[in-house]
């Protein structure tokens, strides 16, 4: 646990008692603060009370009297589409509002570091798609290299549940836009921006607010190195704002599909090969085509971002290449579930938006595509250029019929349920094809989250008879 510094002897309100909220309450208490906790769920409040935490009472006439700060969990709106009423009250009264990420960055460094031979480092990863895989891949590479490393944030543990830093430790954080937007302190040593595509727009008041939330990771703390995906305009703009000129190697530009060979530092993938360039010359190359845990161009971009993030730590290209080959991939992200009768079954349940589904559809040559769920604004009309590899679509969930109207002449079948879609796709798939779950939609019509959706697909596929 990371004891929170700076609130000794003060009351601090904690709103939201999920994983990050409870960890924040424990860490505040460990640092000498008095946490007061609240959640709209009576069950969550009961668990917190059983753990010994005093309640925050929002219905009091002056609920923030004597309270030094309000710590808000990521899922609770603080700005758009409108602030949670408790947050709104704190804003009106001038109570500082923060989250567990801000508490982590204000508390991570301690006087003990003066005795370390090597200062601990923080690598923070954000972006629309690929940030979980990139984060896990960075963690894996550092483990293979024998570095002391921990992983947390939007993946794995809450940040305040990490162990205090030791000599030369590295922490790898996946940070969502919800987390970067509110944190009052953001000071990573290396910051990674994978890409940007429209998502969570209601929460951020549009695409500009969404990008601004991501940009804070770079603008607030001034990382020593910034790894920036430059395949979209926003990434190119961000790299331009950070760099002092084309040769400024504090910025490492990353791409999947375009050659970056200018005077600066770049890592890019083309035709399945990763290349690192510095000062106008190539210094390393890795063949990504046969790495089972990283299929497709989108995963090649993730590999480039992870490679670029660990190179400033002194890791050699050959060691990184070795680690890439032993990376198993993450569940629900282009995860190979089974090979049966010459057909591959791939679980990409995390492909919840059009951009991530487009990348999945480009990763395999001939696809039986399972899609649908709770569709997002705009539907899937923008996937039209990527449907050439789809032999047939099997549409499920709330938006199945809407999706059917948007995929033109692509053969399709309304299946409604995952079980029926898997059964029909398995019956019709031919050797060499891939049955791909890439929903391009949220899961909340039939499942509590994308993980449960992916687990259902996996279980159904594993239950298919051999032969």
């Amino acid at each position: 646990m990371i004891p929170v510094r700076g609130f000794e002897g003060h009351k601090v309100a904690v709103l939201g008692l999920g994983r990050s909220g409870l960890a924040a309450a424990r860490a505040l208490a460990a640092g000498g603060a008095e946490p007061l906790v609240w959640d709209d769920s009576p069950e969550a409040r009961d668990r917190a009370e059983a753990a010994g935490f005093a309640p925050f009472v929002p219905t009091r006439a002056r609920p923030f009297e004597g309270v030094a700060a309000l710590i808000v969990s990521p899922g609770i709106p603080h700005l758009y589409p409108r602030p949670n009423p408790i947050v709104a009250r704190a804003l009106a009264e001038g109570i500082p509002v923060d989250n567990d990420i801000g508490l982590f960055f204000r508390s991570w460094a301690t006087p003990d570091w003066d005795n370390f031979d090597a200062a601990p480092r923080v690598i923070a990863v954000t972006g629309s798609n690929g940030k979980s895989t990139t984060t896990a891949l960075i963690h894996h590479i550092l483990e293979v290299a024998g570095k002391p490393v921990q992983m947390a944030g939007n993946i794995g543990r809450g940040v305040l549940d990490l162990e205090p830093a030791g000599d030369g430790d590295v922490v790898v954080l996946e940070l969502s836009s919800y987390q970067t937007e509110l944190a009052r302190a953001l000071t990573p040593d290396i910051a990674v921006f994978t890409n940007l595509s429209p998502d969570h727009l209601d929460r951020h008041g549009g695409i500009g607010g969404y990008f601004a939330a991501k940009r804070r990771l770079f603008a607030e703390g001034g990382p020593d190195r910034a790894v920036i995906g430059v395949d979209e305009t926003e990434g190119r703009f961000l790299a331009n704002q950070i760099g002092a000129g084309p040769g400024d190697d504090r910025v490492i530009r990353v791409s999947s599909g375009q050659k970056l060979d200018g005077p600066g530092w770049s890592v890019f993938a083309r035709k399945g090969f990763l290349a690192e360039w510095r000062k106008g010359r190539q210094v390393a190359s890795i063949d990504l085509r046969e790495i089972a845990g990283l299929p497709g161009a989108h995963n090649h971009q993730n590999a480039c971002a992870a490679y670029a993030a660990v190179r400033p730590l002194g890791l050699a290209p050959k060691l990184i290449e070795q680690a890439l080959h032993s990376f198993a991939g993450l569940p629900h992200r282009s995860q190979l579930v089974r090979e049966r009768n010459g057909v591959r079954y791939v679980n990409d349940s995390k492909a919840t938006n059009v951009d991530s589904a487009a990348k999945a559809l480009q990763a395999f040559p001939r696809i039986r595509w399972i899609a649908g769920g709770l569709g997002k604004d705009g539907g899937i009309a923008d996937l039209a250029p990527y449907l050439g590899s789809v032999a047939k679509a099997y549409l499920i969930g709330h938006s199945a019929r809407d999706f059917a109207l948007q995929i033109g002449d692509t053969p399709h079948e309304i299946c409604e349920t995952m079980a029926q879609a898997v059964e029909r796709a398995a019956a019709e798939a031919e050797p060499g094809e891939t049955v791909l779950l890439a929903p391009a939609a949220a899961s909340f019509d039939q499942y509590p989250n994308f993980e449960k959706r992916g687990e259902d697909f996996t279980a159904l596929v594993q239950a298919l008879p051999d032969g």
Side-chain angles (χ1 to χ4, degrees):
M1 180 188 300
I2 309 294
V4 173
R5 297 156 59 87
F7 291 110
E8 296 86 349
H10 293 280
K11 294 178 180 178
V12 178
V14 177
L15 178 60
L17 298 175
R19 183 189 65 176
S20 65
L22 282 174
R26 289 191 295 265
L28 283 160
E34 180 185 347
L36 306 175
V37 302
W38 179 261
D39 193 292
D40 288 341
S41 163
E43 293 80 10
R45 296 199 300 271
D46 290 344
R47 287 194 297 270
E49 182 180 352
F53 294 116
F56 175 78
V57 184
T59 55
R60 288 175 50 193
R62 301 181 64 184
F64 287 103
E65 184 174 15
V67 171
L70 173 66
I71 309 305
V72 180
S73 293
I76 298 173
H78 53 266
L79 186 57
Y80 300 116
R82 64 187 60 81
N84 174 280
I86 297 173
V87 177
R89 180 74 176 265
L91 297 175
E93 296 189 16
I95 302 298
V97 180
D98 204 348
N99 62 13
D100 62 328
I101 304 301
L103 295 182
F104 167 83
F105 278 111
R106 72 181 286 164
S107 307
W108 175 238
T110 69
D112 294 340
W113 290 24
D114 294 339
N115 301 317
F116 292 166
D117 292 328
R121 304 283 193 92
V122 175
I123 302 174
V125 181
T126 195
S128 295
N129 299 307
K131 57 183 179 293
S132 294
T133 297
T134 300
T135 301
L137 184 53
I138 293 169
H139 179 262
H140 175 75
I141 293 168
L142 293 171
E143 279 193 320
V144 170
K147 300 284 188 182
V149 59
Q150 302 182 74
M151 180 174 65
N154 208 41
I155 186 173
R157 291 184 285 178
V159 291
L160 294 170
D161 271 337
L162 291 169
E163 297 301 318
D167 199 336
D169 276 1
V170 182
V171 163
V172 189
L173 302 179
E174 178 193 340
L175 299 181
S176 71
S177 57
Y178 295 179
Q179 293 168 312
T180 57
E181 183 177 49
L182 186 58
R184 294 171 71 93
L186 285 168
T187 53
D189 299 281
I190 299 170
V192 180
F193 176 87
T194 59
N195 50 57
L196 195 84
S197 61
D199 209 356
H200 310 303
L201 300 190
D202 59 335
R203 178 66 183 263
H204 297 292
I207 189 69
Y210 180 48
F211 175 54
K214 302 286 188 185
R215 181 182 175 275
R216 289 191 76 245
L217 182 62
F218 302 84
E220 296 297 313
D224 296 333
R225 283 285 193 282
V227 176
I228 310 291
V230 295
D231 288 335
E232 295 89 27
T233 301
E234 292 86 355
R236 291 189 289 273
F237 175 80
L238 182 58
N240 182 274
Q241 283 208 314
I242 296 170
D248 186 351
D249 68 2
R250 292 175 302 170
V251 179
I252 307 176
R253 291 169 170 81
V254 167
S255 174
S256 174
Q258 59 177 315
K259 185 176 181 180
L260 305 174
D261 56 358
W265 195 348
S266 61
V267 180
F268 60 90
R270 291 186 71 207
K271 299 180 179 179
F273 286 84
L274 178 153
E276 178 187 4
W277 282 65
R278 294 190 74 174
K279 298 179 179 178
R281 67 184 185 90
Q282 184 172 322
V283 297
S285 177
I286 297 174
D287 186 350
L288 302 173
R289 294 173 297 177
E290 299 304 318
I291 299 179
L294 295 167
H298 60 306
N299 275 310
H300 294 175
Q301 183 187 52
N302 298 335
C304 289
Y307 178 101
V310 300
R311 282 289 280 144
L313 300 181
L315 272 64
K318 287 295 183 184
L319 177 59
I320 301 172
E321 181 176 8
Q322 174 191 341
L324 294 180
H325 278 278
S326 61
F327 180 65
L330 285 179
H332 318 299
R333 298 160 177 88
S334 295
Q335 176 193 14
L336 178 61
V337 172
R338 185 179 179 186
E339 291 193 34
R340 172 182 176 269
N341 300 336
V343 176
R344 291 189 295 178
Y345 293 79
V346 173
N347 167 22
D348 203 351
S349 183
K350 185 61 171 67
T352 58
N353 58 36
V354 165
D355 186 67
S356 54
K359 290 178 169 61
L361 291 171
Q362 295 174 77
F364 307 99
R366 187 167 171 82
I367 296 168
R368 301 279 169 174
W369 179 34
I370 299 176
L374 188 61
K376 298 189 175 182
D377 289 347
I380 59 169
D382 289 346
L383 286 177
Y386 310 104
L387 299 180
S389 60
V390 176
K392 185 175 178 180
Y394 304 82
L395 303 175
I396 65 173
H398 178 272
S399 297
R401 285 167 176 77
D402 290 339
F403 280 17
L405 296 173
Q406 297 175 50
I407 59 175
D409 296 331
T410 302
H412 64 271
E413 182 175 336
I414 304 293
C415 292
E416 308 243 343
T417 67
M418 184 73 73
Q420 185 179 350
V422 169
E423 179 185 0
R424 296 292 299 139
E428 297 182 348
E430 300 176 357
E433 294 183 339
T434 298
V435 175
L436 171 68
L437 171 64
S443 59
F444 305 129
D445 57 335
Q446 295 179 317
Y447 302 93
N449 50 52
F450 73 84
E451 291 96 341
K452 291 298 183 185
R453 177 171 59 191
E455 289 167 8
D456 188 25
F457 171 80
T458 299
L460 290 164
V461 168
Q462 297 291 10
L464 291 171
D466 293 330

